[in-house]
Amino acid sequence: MPAQYYCPQWYGTSNSTMTTQTLYYPQNWNTGTASTIYTTGSNQIWTRWNEQWVQTAITSTDMAWQRWINQSQVYTYQQTPTPLTPEQLQAQREASERYEMQRQERRQRQTAARARARVLLGEFLTDEQKAELERQGQFHVTGSKGRRYCIRASGQSGNVDLLKADGSVQATLCAHPTIVPGESELVPEADAWLMQMIEIRHDEDRFLRTANVHRGRLPVG
Amino acid sequence: MTSLVAEANRVEDHEGDVIVMVVLDTSGDTKHIWDRRNAEEVAEARSLFDRMKAKGFQAWSVTRGGDKDKRITEFDPQAEKIIFAPALVGG
């Protein structure tokens, strides 16, 4: 590859099947080795040009120019918009409306599910834990081996802190319910907090084996 | 059991021989209620338990206080409340 590259400032074409596309003059281009490429990033043709330039053995400026034209023509041709028929436009509108309706229904379901999960969690929390959750957005749990944990009511990933004796954070842990079999979403957050609490207070060692450590480290032994 | 299947959050209203099975899912939870004195209902509850286990859910026999929580692998008609939940995974 030559150290000096040729770069067209613009290229446009127009005929019965293609639309004109003006290319942008690149602000930077390679003037060093072939492995160093600078692009404006905003022009796809320029990006393709650079890809071709690097990947293809171009040995003359004529070949480089021809490559540029070919790439531009192909890209421009693919970009040519096809007018939609009235039927297609109507179908497009209906699909959009269906999507919006489904999105709203999904949001309503999720809101109701979050409320139900919160009620269920409340059935298992002590009054002290409920007060903590209400005031601080977190609650503490004692594990089956006696360690203390803080479950933060913020998401269900990386929301559990294993605490030291002085109350500071020993490690931030992540263990959450997997996606429900046959479903595509996680359970509501409050359900995840409930399961984290149950597993910690019943089978702390298993929880620690399952969880990934996001910050800090687990105690030895 | 079918006539007793309920989704309402009325767990606290049931005492004694009425037992609740809670399935955590994307709807929040679905509660199934049965009478342990009724053999037919218990059989349906056991069938549901087996189906949920087959789907990969974990089952917990739990109490409000948490002092008797235990993971269970077989249906326990004496359980006060059973929660089914997807297994925890490291994230």
Side-chain angles (χ1 to χ4, degrees), chain A residues 113 116 120 123-124 174-178 180-181 183 185-186 188 191 195 198-199 201-203 206 210 212 214, chain B residues 7 24-29 55 57-58 60 62-64 66 69-71 81 83 85-91:
Chain A
R116 291 167 61 83
L120 184 68
E123 293 175 8
F124 287 88
C174 182
H176 56 81
T178 185
V180 176
E183 304 271 1
E185 302 171 10
L186 292 169
D191 280 346
M195 293 320 301
I198 288 177
E199 182 124 342
R201 74 184 186 185
H202 169 70
D203 196 349
R206 181 173 173 139
T210 302
N212 283 334
H214 281 197
Chain B
E7 290 190 5
L24 302 190
D25 51 30
T26 53
S27 75
D29 61 84
K55 286 175 74 174
F57 280 75
Q58 291 195 332
W60 293 84
V62 296
T63 56
R64 185 189 295 260
D69 290 356
K70 59 179 179 180
R71 196 190 307 270
K81 184 185 293 183
I83 291 186
L88 293 185
V89 292

Side-chain angles (χ1 to χ4, degrees), chain A residues 43-54 67-68 71 74-76 78:
Chain A
N43 188 283
Q44 293 188 49
I45 295 177
W46 174 235
T47 301
R48 293 190 66 169
W49 157 261
N50 275 318
E51 289 170 358
Q52 287 294 320
W53 185 251
V54 172
R67 177 72 63 184
W68 169 264
Q71 289 299 313
V74 168
Y75 184 74
T76 304
Q78 290 171 342

Side-chain angles (χ1 to χ4, degrees), chain A residues 2-116:
Chain A
Q4 184 176 1
Y5 300 158
Y6 291 83
C7 177
Q9 294 184 17
W10 63 271
Y11 175 75
T13 180
S14 179
N15 58 34
S16 59
T17 59
M18 297 181 189
T19 57
T20 301
Q21 179 165 0
T22 301
L23 306 182
Y24 302 105
Y25 184 82
Q27 295 172 5
N28 300 290
W29 66 93
N30 194 349
T31 56
T33 64
S35 61
T36 304
I37 296 293
Y38 302 95
T39 68
T40 62
S42 60
N43 188 283
Q44 293 188 49
I45 295 177
W46 174 235
T47 301
R48 293 190 66 169
W49 157 261
N50 275 318
E51 289 170 358
Q52 287 294 320
W53 185 251
V54 172
Q55 295 168 5
T56 309
I58 297 176
T59 55
S60 71
T61 55
D62 285 346
M63 287 176 65
W65 177 240
Q66 191 56 48
R67 177 72 63 184
W68 169 264
I69 293 172
N70 290 342
Q71 289 299 313
S72 301
Q73 286 178 332
V74 168
Y75 184 74
T76 304
Y77 182 77
Q78 290 171 342
Q79 284 272 299
T80 303
T82 305
L84 297 178
T85 64
E87 290 76 16
Q88 288 173 321
L89 285 170
Q90 177 65 17
Q92 202 173 58
R93 273 194 296 271
E94 289 173 358
S96 177
E97 288 170 3
R98 276 197 305 275
Y99 173 78
E100 179 60 23
M101 195 176 300
Q102 289 168 354
R103 195 176 66 84
Q104 288 182 10
E105 287 173 358
R106 188 167 58 247
R107 184 179 296 174
Q108 288 171 356
R109 275 202 311 273
Q110 289 172 338
T111 300
R114 280 197 292 271
R116 291 167 61 83

Side-chain angles (χ1 to χ4, degrees), chain B residues 50-86:
Chain B
D50 293 339
R51 288 200 305 274
M52 297 309 296
K53 290 292 291 179
K55 286 175 74 174
F57 280 75
Q58 291 195 332
W60 293 84
S61 173
V62 296
T63 56
R64 185 189 295 260
D67 53 333
K68 296 177 185 172
D69 290 356
K70 59 179 179 180
R71 196 190 307 270
I72 56 176
T73 55
E74 293 183 0
F75 178 67
D76 177 9
Q78 300 306 315
E80 182 180 326
K81 184 185 293 183
I82 296 174
I83 291 186
F84 280 104

Side-chain angles (χ1 to χ4, degrees), chain B residues 10-56:
Chain B
R10 351 181 225 116
V11 180
E12 64 275 16
D13 296 337
H14 302 287
E15 294 179 353
D17 293 317
V18 178
I19 310 169
V20 180
M21 190 181 290
V22 183
V23 180
L24 302 190
D25 51 30
T26 53
S27 75
D29 61 84
T30 304
K31 293 183 176 69
H32 303 264
I33 303 169
W34 76 93
D35 186 338
R36 69 161 64 101
R37 295 168 303 183
N38 184 320
E40 188 179 337
E41 291 184 12
V42 171
E44 286 197 46
R46 187 187 302 276
S47 172
L48 174 62
F49 183 96
D50 293 339
R51 288 200 305 274
M52 297 309 296
K53 290 292 291 179
K55 286 175 74 174

